[in-house]
Amino acid sequence: MAIFNLGSINADMTYRLPHLLAPGETLATSRLTRGLGGKGANMSVAAARAGARVVHLGAVGPDGRWAIERLTEYGVDTRQIAVIEEATGHAIIMLDAEAENSILIHPGANRALSVERIEAGLEEAGPEDIFVFQNETNLQREAAEIASRRGLRVAYAAAPFDAEAVTAVLPLLDLLVLNEVEAAQLEEATGQGIESIPVRDVVVTLGAKGCRWINTDSGESRNFAALPVTPVDTTGAGDTFTGYLLAGLDRALPMATAIELAQRAAALMVMREGTADVIPDLKDVTEHRF
């Protein structure tokens, strides 16, 4: 079993600020760090650190070979990452004293993928595998169709949220993961409640309130309380949650158990500063006392 992730790869430039910028404001930063990021890369690292075999499908520019090396070091299969002419994607992350953030993303190579590259990347995938993607690459619908035809379980993390992108892939999904704001936006865009979305399993993360799992086949839903932590940096927490959730499902854990594992990973993640480089491994997640 494996997780095939069509995902972004970014250089994360994180700036520490006393507060998030207001329109027209100029503000000096107290610190700058560069690390591996992108929602796709974060999820691949999280799933790999949770013990799953992860194949990353994506692209970087000539300036991004370091990112491939870093992903390889973290246990991700990087053979399906292309090096192309477009510059590597990057994110400018503004992080305030309360651990809240604002993020500016330049897609770069993440949106220059070809259908042929995706088909080649999924050539060895089959019904026992999971395919996941996010809204930071091109060819999302096409990739989901290829994965669906091959019988993979198709999962989508609906971020950064775009109503058109989400509605285009909804008929192909087995699992949808989104946060509370994104769920409200999807309800507004479709005119349907989340319970009526035509996806079998929907997981809505609720930040400090925990998360909610909805099984639309049975009409049942279950709430999961958040773990009590003091956040240092919320960047990448949602991606860590999704990566661990998928790794749990890949190990055939029941959905509720996989969610609880993912919550522990995300709670530990917000206690650390950084993105992919500081995602906790399975030993840390299972042994930490909250």
Side-chain angles (χ1 to χ4, degrees):
M1 295 186 290
I3 298 169
F4 290 79
N5 180 9
L6 172 64
S8 55
I9 303 170
N10 288 340
D12 276 359
M13 311 298 290
T14 302
Y15 298 83
R16 273 284 183 179
L17 303 168
H19 59 263
L20 298 183
L21 285 172
E25 182 179 15
T26 300
L27 194 62
T29 66
S30 60
R31 188 164 50 147
L32 165 65
T33 57
R34 187 191 80 162
L36 174 65
K39 298 191 73 61
N42 294 342
M43 289 180 194
S44 283
V45 172
R49 285 188 164 169
R53 175 177 174 249
V54 183
V55 179
H56 194 100
L57 285 64
V60 297
D63 57 333
R65 295 180 189 275
W66 66 272
I68 297 177
E69 293 173 1
R70 192 80 58 85
L71 283 165
T72 303
E73 290 172 5
Y74 294 151
V76 177
D77 185 336
T78 59
R79 290 175 295 174
Q80 300 302 327
I81 299 176
V83 179
I84 62 177
E85 292 184 3
E86 291 280 345
T88 302
H90 68 263
I92 295 173
I93 302 168
M94 293 175 285
L95 187 65
D96 72 9
E98 303 300 322
E100 293 298 329
N101 62 57
S102 292
I103 303 174
L104 179 67
I105 296 174
H106 174 68
N110 295 314
R111 291 196 179 272
L113 294 163
S114 68
V115 171
E116 292 76 18
R117 169 65 60 178
I118 294 169
E119 287 177 334
L122 291 174
E123 187 173 347
E124 297 180 359
E128 72 280 6
D129 300 319
I130 297 172
F131 175 72
V132 62
F133 62 116
Q134 319 81 33
N135 191 27
E136 289 187 343
T137 69
N138 61 324
L139 300 176
Q140 295 167 39
R141 170 78 190 200
E142 293 85 347
E145 288 175 344
I146 294 168
S148 183
R149 285 198 301 269
R150 298 189 70 86
L152 280 74
R153 186 176 188 175
V154 180
Y156 183 56
F161 186 83
D162 178 89
E164 184 176 350
V166 180
T167 54
V169 299
L170 275 180
L172 299 166
L173 303 182
D174 300 298
L175 170 63
L176 175 64
V177 182
L178 66 176
N179 65 29
E180 189 173 18
V181 173
E182 293 157 355
Q185 292 173 321
L186 183 58
E187 288 182 333
E188 182 178 357
T190 61
Q192 295 177 283
I194 286 296
E195 296 82 357
S196 303
I197 296 295
V199 178
R200 184 180 60 203
D201 289 301
V202 180
V203 177
V204 182
T205 59
L206 305 171
K209 295 181 289 184
C211 73
R212 182 184 179 204
W213 164 41
I214 303 155
N215 183 290
T216 60
D217 283 353
S218 65
E220 298 177 358
S221 67
R222 177 175 170 182
N223 293 321
F224 297 78
L227 294 163
V229 296
T230 301
V232 173
D233 182 356
T234 57
T235 312
D239 303 333
T240 300
F241 175 93
T242 303
Y244 262 81
L245 172 65
L246 294 173
L249 297 176
D250 184 61
R251 288 161 48 198
L253 294 180
M255 178 66 80
T257 305
I259 288 173
E260 289 167 350
L261 178 67
Q263 283 190 295
R264 291 183 63 87
L268 193 54
M269 180 64 175
V270 302
M271 299 166 66
R272 304 176 174 188
E273 184 177 331
T275 46
D277 298 304
V278 298
I279 292 173
D281 62 24
L282 186 59
K283 184 174 185 292
D284 289 339
V285 170
T286 55
E287 293 183 357
H288 187 85
R289 294 187 178 183
F290 290 94

